[in-house]
Amino acid sequence: MKLGKNSPCWCGSGKKYKHCHEKFDDTMAVLKLQGQQVPGRELIKSEEDIRYIKKAAKINDAVLDLVGEKIHAGMSTEEIDKLVYDYTTSHGGIPACLGYEGFPKSCCTSINEEVCHGIPDEKVILKEGDIVNVDCTTIVHGHYADASRMFCIGEVSPEAKRLVDVTKECLEAGIAAVRPWGHFGDIGAAIQEVAHKNGYSVVTDFCGHGVGNDFHEEPYVHHVGIRGRGMVIAPGMVFTIEPMINQGTSRLYIDEDNDWTAITEDGKLSAQWEHTLLVTDKGVEILAK
């Protein structure tokens, strides 16, 4: 049932409907009549949600900044995890990874041929030439912000550096494809074009996702796609883009020793970058990076 123009808006802003989401709902109704796949209201974040997500993102960004300052050859991935846990908790956040579906650590550390979900370990020592992804998610007041960065340890090979740089270009291309009332297929198409142009493959076993009120929400954000296809991107949605790009095949397997770490099937390098994004009426805002 359509709200009255002067009724409080359904989003919880406290504003009158006519001054808040009436035009939004009219646009959604037209798109739905056209046969478009539109997001439900539960995927639209409130002003309060966004405020807390930004607080979580501020801590998450600072954690990754700290890792960037401290990471070096000879450091164990367990030391990275301790940095993440100590900083997050001392600044009022909660590491979302810790205990999530049994995950034993506060962040993921994925090295070289590890695609994602590497488990920090005191026996795993970073060495000169490694590339490593550190993936953190922070909770503040029940709200989540998620990001990951690649780090090059000392002097890395030109091939490794190129993969890291092109993967970041893939992320940036995906972000540039986000626009209000566009489609999620636009994001995947932009990412795969950059990857394939550079001779790399795109991992399809994992994808980005809605985030904010929970760790993983709808929609799934695929890193391959067709422009103009998929769910409509609406203002107020918050989600991650996190392409995983491989030197060789996109195929992978899960480490049987820990049931978490994904590894390239051919043993070649993989890289990943991840940002949390907010869609606005004017475009996109990067919340966590």
Side-chain angles (χ1 to χ4, degrees), residues 143-156:
H143 291 74
Y144 297 68
D146 188 3
S148 79
R149 299 181 194 172
M150 293 298 300
F151 299 98
C152 295
I153 307 304
E155 191 73 27
V156 304

Side-chain angles (χ1 to χ4, degrees), residues 210-247:
V211 69
N213 299 90
D214 204 347
F215 199 162
H216 298 97
E217 305 173 0
E218 291 186 355
Y220 295 112
V221 183
H222 297 283
H223 301 124
V224 298
I226 300 171
R227 284 185 171 81
R229 302 282 185 88
M231 182 183 285
V232 169
I233 301 171
M237 298 182 81
V238 175
F239 52 85
T240 70
I241 299 178
E242 47 184 295
M244 303 167 204
I245 307 300
N246 292 354
Q247 271 187 331

Side-chain angles (χ1 to χ4, degrees), residues 42-54:
E42 72 278 3
L43 300 186
I44 308 304
K45 300 296 184 265
S46 69
E47 292 178 359
E48 181 181 48
D49 290 334
I50 292 166
R51 184 166 68 251
Y52 283 119
I53 295 167
K54 286 182 175 181

